[in-house]
């Protein structure tokens, strides 16, 4: 599974007291929560330049959820092609 999370400046937009980035993190954690023990995950932070958070396929669910929670919005716009 490859998770791409938009961390561009627009993800700071608030709706009902929650940022778009926080909603994206919750959605990513829901996906991770449905994985099986032998599933593998790659997490990519998409901002001015995509950044691979895991350098290899990750299997430790606690580590994955912590990495998702630690994602922050960038002041730049998202650019998948950088």
């Amino acid at each position: 599974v490859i998770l791409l999370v938009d961390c561009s400046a627009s993800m700071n937009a608030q709706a009902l007291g929650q940022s778009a980035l926080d909603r994206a993190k919750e959605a990513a954690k829901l996906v991770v929560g449905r994985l099986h023990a032998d599933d593998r995950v790659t997490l990519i932070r998409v901002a001015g330049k995509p950044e691979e958070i895991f350098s290899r396929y990750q299997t430790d669910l606690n580590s994955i959820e912590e990495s998702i929670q630690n994602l922050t919005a960038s002041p730049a716009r998202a650019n998948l092609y950088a």
Side-chain angles (χ1 to χ4, degrees), residues 19-58:
S19 73
L21 180 58
D22 287 337
R23 290 190 306 277
K25 289 180 193 181
E26 285 181 12
K29 287 191 260 185
L30 284 173
V31 170
V32 168
R34 296 181 58 108
L35 297 176
H36 297 273
D38 57 342
D39 290 335
R40 303 290 182 258
V41 177
T42 293
L43 177 62
I44 298 176
R45 177 181 183 263
V46 181
K49 181 178 179 184
E51 174 188 1
E52 188 175 307
I53 303 300
F54 303 138
S55 61
R56 58 182 169 71
Y57 284 95
Q58 181 65 266

Side-chain angles (χ1 to χ4, degrees), residues 1-8 21 25 28 32 41-74:
V1 175
I2 299 175
L3 296 172
L4 290 98
V5 179
D6 183 354
C7 292
S8 64
L21 180 58
K25 289 180 193 181
V32 168
V41 177
T42 293
L43 177 62
I44 298 176
R45 177 181 183 263
V46 181
K49 181 178 179 184
E51 174 188 1
E52 188 175 307
I53 303 300
F54 303 138
S55 61
R56 58 182 169 71
Y57 284 95
Q58 181 65 266
T59 59
D60 176 25
L61 294 181
N62 289 331
S63 175
I64 293 168
E65 288 185 358
E66 182 178 331
S67 293
I68 291 170
Q69 190 57 42
N70 289 334
L71 292 172
T72 58
S74 163

